[in-house]
Amino acid sequence: MTRTALIVGATGIQGSAIARQLADEGWTVLGLSRTPQPQEGVTPVAADLLDPASLATALQGLTPSHVFLTTWLRMPTEAENIRVNAAMIRNLFDALRPVGSLQHAALVTGLKHYLGPFEAYGQGRLPQTPFREDQGRLDVANFYYAQEDELFAAADRDGFGWSVHRPHTVIGQAVGNAMNMGTTLATYATLCRETGRPFRFPGSAAQWNGLTDMTDARQLAAQVIWAAGTPAARNQDFNIVNGDVFRWRWMWPRIAGWFGIEAEEFDGTPRPLEAQMQDDAPLWAEIAAREGLAEPDLGRLASPWHTDADLGRPIEVVTDMSKSRRMGFTGYVATDQAFFDLFERLRQDRLIP
């Protein structure tokens, strides 16, 4: 079987992990993004998903057997999210249709499938936890649903298989990514160590005390690739998390310990990172210059707003992934080790001191 992967969003936190694993497994890997960056084992493809002419030109002569969709564009309203992100997927499959080489397409979305979009996040009647794939959609407009509908329509029309993958918060490396808790916490801990400020949990008591889970980007990549080659996984949706559960009151001191600092005891008062880090960009630039770091712009490493949204939720979020387990997917990653592995890589790549 010809195995040529087109990864849409190949430089992002999810796409880069998928690209790395596919390249290691001997696939031909094409990485599509608006501004490609050098990636080992990946042939860059520069295109704008909102520009059909750009897509047609960029994809000319390419015959991907598999597509992995890991990108989206955030707009001011959910109506605009739906319009723009649906168009991106529709334009891609329209551009690929004349070639007729596609066998499988995987779409990565997330737990906002169960929790609602940004405008109605965690509001209204939510399904009970742990979230399961058979709980279906919420009765609310959601760009994830629009993305799925475009995928389903193209697959029905053109005869390829599909899979949908819903991670929880993803731990992985991607400079310039708008939703990156691992690197955000790494920069925050570094700043606390540098200044002597307390390492304060920014979120809610519900998150501090309740059970939760997360998704290592490598675990996501493993499931996405497994589904692409597993007949039983054809035309199925899957949750994907690491396989363990934890409480932040246990995890927070472990992260602090890795950086050689003490975690402040949480008193139940949320102290969002967006406020704690709002004046830290000049200090980070000084640290980067002194330590010879590769990225002096704190805004390209940290996304406090997104970490605040995750850690400030007033509800428990736990994910069931029995569906893929029953089909044979056995991947597992301990979440504390996922953080530690990321921190080591950030240090090796000179992104943190």
Side-chain angles (χ1 to χ4, degrees):
M1 180 181 72
T2 301
R3 300 194 304 174
T4 299
L6 176 66
I7 302 177
V8 182
T11 60
I13 194 169
Q14 301 167 347
S16 61
I18 296 170
R20 192 176 304 114
Q21 185 162 325
L22 287 171
D24 288 346
E25 294 183 10
W27 288 58
T28 298
V29 182
L30 310 171
L32 189 152
S33 60
R34 283 179 294 178
T35 55
Q37 301 170 13
Q39 293 174 273
E40 186 176 353
V42 179
T43 299
V45 178
D48 184 346
L49 291 173
L50 291 173
D51 182 350
S54 163
L55 272 173
T57 300
L59 295 174
Q60 188 171 8
L62 302 180
T63 56
S65 57
H66 294 72
V67 166
F68 300 90
L69 294 149
T70 68
T71 192
W72 66 284
L73 189 61
R74 187 176 183 185
M75 303 301 292
T77 67
E78 192 60 20
E80 280 294 287
N81 279 336
I82 290 169
R83 183 186 66 81
V84 168
N85 288 283
M88 289 164 62
I89 292 185
R90 184 168 59 252
N91 291 343
L92 175 71
F93 288 124
D94 285 348
L96 290 171
R97 183 172 309 117
V99 178
S101 61
L102 196 56
Q103 301 169 17
H104 181 88
L107 171 66
V108 179
T109 60
L111 294 195
K112 284 189 287 295
H113 181 94
Y114 307 107
L115 287 164
F118 288 111
E119 290 182 1
Y121 188 69
Q123 300 175 19
R125 186 184 180 93
L126 299 176
Q128 65 179 355
T129 57
F131 297 139
R132 292 180 169 86
E133 297 90 345
D134 62 6
Q135 290 169 325
R137 296 179 173 183
L138 302 176
D139 186 20
V140 62
N142 190 324
F143 81 90
Y144 281 170
Y145 306 160
Q147 287 182 309
E148 287 183 344
D149 289 343
E150 292 293 343
L151 171 66
F152 302 157
D156 286 345
R157 181 180 58 234
D158 299 333
F160 58 83
W162 57 265
S163 59
V164 173
H165 305 265
R166 301 182 187 125
H168 197 171
T169 304
V170 177
I171 304 170
Q173 182 177 341
V175 174
N177 188 271
M179 298 186 294
N180 194 329
M181 181 188 287
T183 306
T184 299
L185 294 182
T187 57
Y188 174 58
T190 300
L191 288 161
C192 289
R193 185 178 63 197
E194 180 76 14
T195 62
R197 287 171 6 204
F199 185 62
R200 290 174 167 164
F201 183 71
S204 67
Q207 291 302 304
W208 180 256
N209 294 311
L211 289 172
T212 192
D213 49 31
M214 293 184 73
T215 307
D216 190 303
R218 299 167 298 183
Q219 173 82 334
L220 169 64
Q223 192 198 59
V224 166
I225 296 168
W226 164 83
T230 301
R234 182 182 174 93
N235 299 349
Q236 297 291 327
D237 54 351
F238 299 107
N239 295 330
I240 175 63
V241 286
N242 288 335
D244 63 350
V245 294
F246 65 93
R247 303 180 200 276
W248 276 104
R249 69 187 188 201
W250 175 82
M251 184 69 76
W252 197 250
R254 294 184 67 76
I255 293 174
W258 195 94
F259 287 92
I261 58 178
E262 293 291 327
E264 182 180 76
E265 186 64 30
F266 180 60
D267 65 2
T269 304
R271 295 181 172 88
L273 288 180
E274 197 161 24
Q276 290 194 55
M277 300 177 70
Q278 63 181 349
D279 299 321
D280 284 337
L283 176 56
W284 186 263
E286 291 177 14
I287 296 171
R290 186 188 71 213
E291 302 290 342
L293 301 184
E295 181 51 71
D297 184 353
L298 182 60
R300 286 181 50 76
L301 295 172
S303 50
W305 71 272
H306 186 261
T307 299
D308 286 340
D310 275 356
L311 298 184
R313 288 184 296 221
I315 55 175
E316 176 188 78
V317 178
V318 184
T319 315
D320 179 84
M321 54 181 295
S322 300
K323 184 177 181 180
S324 61
R325 295 292 193 219
R326 287 193 294 267
M327 293 183 182
F329 178 73
T330 59
Y332 169 84
V333 180
T335 301
D336 57 342
Q337 192 61 51
F339 274 119
F340 300 158
D341 289 350
L342 172 63
F343 299 156
E344 288 285 1
R345 186 178 173 199
L346 292 173
R347 183 166 285 171
Q348 291 171 7
D349 291 349
R350 303 303 302 156
L351 290 168
I352 61 171

